[in-house]
Amino acid sequence: KGEWLFNKFLYLFNEGLLSLWRTKVPSIVSSLAISVSLIIVSITYSLYLNFEYMITDFKDSYKIEVFFNDDLSKKNCIESFNNILLINGIDKGQFIDKDMAANKFKREFQEDINDVIGRNPLPMSAIYDISKDSRDYNSIKSIVNEIEKNINVESISYEKDAMIQFDSLIKNILAFVFVISLLIILVAVFFVSNTILIIIYSKKRDIEILKLLGASNQFIKFPYYLEGIFQGIIGSLISLIILALFYNILEYLSLSNYIYLDSVNSTNMIVLNFSFGMLLGFLGSSKALSSYVKNW
């Protein structure tokens, strides 16, 4: 029985390859459509990883600055500073007393605040870094609301408008990437489906004979599934070759210094291309078979 199953699989495998060879031109077109889709998806994936790096770098600058009431002692301010450090979402902080604030003023304006005004009116304050998992506007707003509950806090400063605009930009870019990827998938599936349909129509008589001989639906369909997968594999190989050439061109032109190419793992890219390519081929075959051979 094992030998019979192996021979059966070998027959179906050969049928899939032979169908691919018999319809060379449509199959090449389908494979090219898949390869173009995979190239665009791969570049989109690489850009997304680069975008994540840029987001991380930008959000590292997110900070909350807290100013304490001017009539508080340094001891009370430090106590409030430590209480705020315990708030969920705060990573670390730096306490700034009056002397440090005066030195900061002098560095920025090249003037001594005591000479200009005759005293130091600058309040004690603190600058807090935000945890990585809390660097979005809603989380930061929640942190600010918690800080405002501290009666020793006079005012809070943070880049509210910039955060809102940046979060909105991220959502729009991700939505755009999703729509583009979906359209690419649909186009690739359409090409593969049409190619498989051409093969089915050209082999209608053979299919009817197999049916009369008692062949099951799955036995008849299996070579077409394989052919779609083969087209996906060929498309994956083409896309990987083109992506490798593109990468070498970037390296040659020294443009890789401006792009986080190290963020793109080559193994992940190969797995992504082959997995996604075979999936597109299989989906195209499934669409063709489900649409036109329901009565088998």
Side-chain angles (χ1 to χ4, degrees):
K1 187 177 180 179
E3 185 179 352
W4 178 81
L5 287 173
F6 176 76
N7 290 333
K8 182 179 178 181
F9 176 79
L10 193 61
Y11 167 78
L12 295 172
F13 187 84
N14 287 333
E15 277 296 304
L17 284 175
L18 287 172
S19 294
L20 191 70
W21 177 253
R22 292 189 197 105
T23 54
K24 292 186 285 293
V25 175
S27 295
I28 290 171
V29 171
S30 294
S31 297
L32 288 175
I34 290 175
S35 68
V36 170
S37 302
L38 292 174
I39 289 167
I40 296 173
V41 169
S42 299
I43 291 174
T44 303
Y45 173 67
S46 302
L47 291 175
Y48 172 74
L49 292 178
N50 278 268
F51 186 60
E52 272 197 330
Y53 269 87
M54 289 188 289
I55 289 172
T56 302
D57 289 343
F58 183 81
K59 288 193 172 184
D60 281 343
S61 65
Y62 280 7
K63 296 183 187 299
I64 298 174
E65 191 167 6
V66 175
F67 298 92
F68 299 106
N69 292 323
D70 196 41
D71 57 353
L72 289 174
S73 66
K74 184 174 180 179
K75 180 181 177 182
N76 287 335
C77 287
I78 291 175
E79 185 179 344
S80 295
F81 166 77
N82 290 328
N83 287 335
I84 293 171
L85 277 177
L86 298 176
I87 294 174
N88 187 33
I90 295 291
D91 186 22
K92 57 184 178 179
Q94 178 189 10
F95 180 75
I96 301 172
D97 61 19
K98 283 182 171 289
D99 291 337
M100 293 173 67
N103 290 333
K104 185 178 179 182
F105 181 91
K106 189 173 183 179
R107 285 196 304 272
E108 291 183 3
F109 300 101
Q110 307 299 317
E111 295 281 354
D112 191 323
I113 190 74
N114 292 291
D115 294 339
V116 174
I117 301 179
R119 63 186 181 86
N120 184 356
L122 300 173
M124 284 181 275
S125 62
I127 298 175
Y128 295 96
D129 293 337
I130 302 162
S131 303
K132 285 187 176 181
D133 55 354
S134 298
R135 290 176 185 171
D136 60 89
Y137 173 70
N138 290 329
S139 298
I140 293 170
K141 181 62 179 173
S142 177
I143 294 169
V144 169
N145 290 338
E146 284 295 315
I147 296 173
E148 286 175 341
K149 294 177 183 177
N150 192 310
I151 59 173
N152 293 330
V153 171
E154 182 177 350
S155 62
I156 302 170
S157 174
Y158 67 106
E159 297 293 334
K160 176 180 176 181
D161 293 336
M163 290 176 186
I164 293 173
Q165 291 176 7
F166 191 66
D167 283 358
S168 176
L169 176 65
I170 292 170
K171 289 177 183 176
N172 290 335
I173 290 174
L174 291 178
F176 176 77
V177 168
F178 174 78
V179 171
I180 292 298
S181 299
L182 183 61
L183 289 174
I184 290 166
I185 291 169
L186 292 174
V187 169
V189 169
F190 171 79
F191 273 101
V192 175
S193 178
N194 281 354
T195 302
I196 299 299
L197 280 174
I198 292 171
I199 298 166
I200 291 172
Y201 282 131
S202 67
K203 296 186 68 178
K204 259 189 174 181
R205 185 161 183 163
D206 294 340
I207 291 169
E208 289 172 0
I209 292 171
L210 286 171
K211 194 66 180 173
L212 290 171
L213 291 173
S216 66
N217 291 343
Q218 292 305 316
F219 182 86
I220 297 171
K221 292 178 181 180
F222 193 73
Y224 302 107
Y225 287 129
L226 278 178
E227 182 165 357
I229 292 172
F230 290 150
Q231 290 176 12
I233 292 172
I234 294 170
S236 301
L237 288 170
I238 295 171
S239 69
L240 287 171
I241 292 169
I242 293 173
L243 287 169
L245 290 172
F246 183 64
Y247 177 86
N248 288 328
I249 290 170
L250 288 178
E251 286 281 315
Y252 178 75
L253 297 176
S254 300
L255 294 175
S256 58
N257 297 327
Y258 305 99
I259 304 173
Y260 294 101
L261 288 176
D262 291 338
S263 67
V264 183
N265 187 290
S266 57
T267 303
N268 289 344
M269 189 63 73
I270 292 170
V271 171
L272 172 71
N273 272 262
F274 275 109
S275 301
F276 201 55
M278 289 189 288
L279 177 63
L280 288 177
F282 179 78
L283 288 175
S285 301
S286 299
K287 182 180 180 300
L289 291 167
S290 62
S291 298
Y292 295 93
V293 292
K294 291 179 181 178
N295 297 323
W296 282 10

